[in-house]
Amino acid sequence: MVRQELMLPKKIMEAIEVFASLADVHRQQIVGLVGRNGPMCVGDIARNFLMSRPAVSHHLKVLKRAGLLTAHRQGKEIHYEFNRERTVQVLRWMADAVEQQMEVRQTQAK
């Protein structure tokens, strides 16, 4: 039997990446910290956690790749900022997808 890959729309795949990036409690805490405090550099973020600076940098890389954080160079430092617009966009995509799926199920049930 051939395994069939599930083909999902690009928006849903992007949303999955966002939610997967938030599966780690440290990344959730980083997003909360940066969201509350505004732009922060790696050192300032790392001072709030009991993990190495390279570990914090890894988490920031994952969050940036998912679009939850943006990065801006200021002199020698990179400052990370919560990307509110992207977060709202992804949540809207997911809400729309759920609504569409519910409509399909209701139509099929009739």
Side-chain angles (χ1 to χ4, degrees):
M1 184 170 164
V2 176
R3 183 175 161 216
Q4 194 172 22
E5 291 295 321
L6 184 61
M7 298 299 295
L8 297 172
K10 185 175 186 262
K11 288 180 181 180
I12 299 302
M13 293 303 296
E14 290 178 31
I16 289 169
E17 182 177 10
V18 167
F19 288 111
S21 74
L22 291 171
D24 183 276
V25 69
H26 293 107
R27 290 194 284 268
Q28 294 169 23
Q29 293 170 341
I30 290 169
V31 168
L33 177 70
V34 175
R36 282 189 307 276
N37 294 311
M40 297 177 74
C41 66
V42 178
D44 291 340
I45 294 168
R47 278 190 274 284
N48 289 275
F49 297 95
L50 296 175
M51 68 176 106
S52 68
R53 189 175 170 141
V56 170
S57 292
H58 167 75
H59 289 303
L60 292 169
K61 177 182 168 185
V62 171
L63 292 167
K64 182 181 169 202
R65 185 176 57 228
L68 292 171
L69 297 179
T70 58
H72 308 281
R73 183 171 292 281
Q74 292 183 352
K76 292 182 179 181
E77 296 181 334
I78 297 176
H79 288 254
Y80 291 87
E81 186 171 6
F82 177 63
N83 188 346
R84 180 183 173 276
E85 294 80 20
R86 170 71 171 164
T87 304
V88 169
Q89 179 185 50
V90 169
L91 292 174
R92 283 190 180 130
W93 290 346
M94 289 305 294
D96 290 346
V98 169
E99 283 182 5
Q100 289 174 2
Q101 188 62 33
M102 290 174 59
E103 289 172 6
V104 167
R105 287 186 180 171
Q106 289 174 350
T107 302
Q108 290 173 346
K110 291 181 182 180

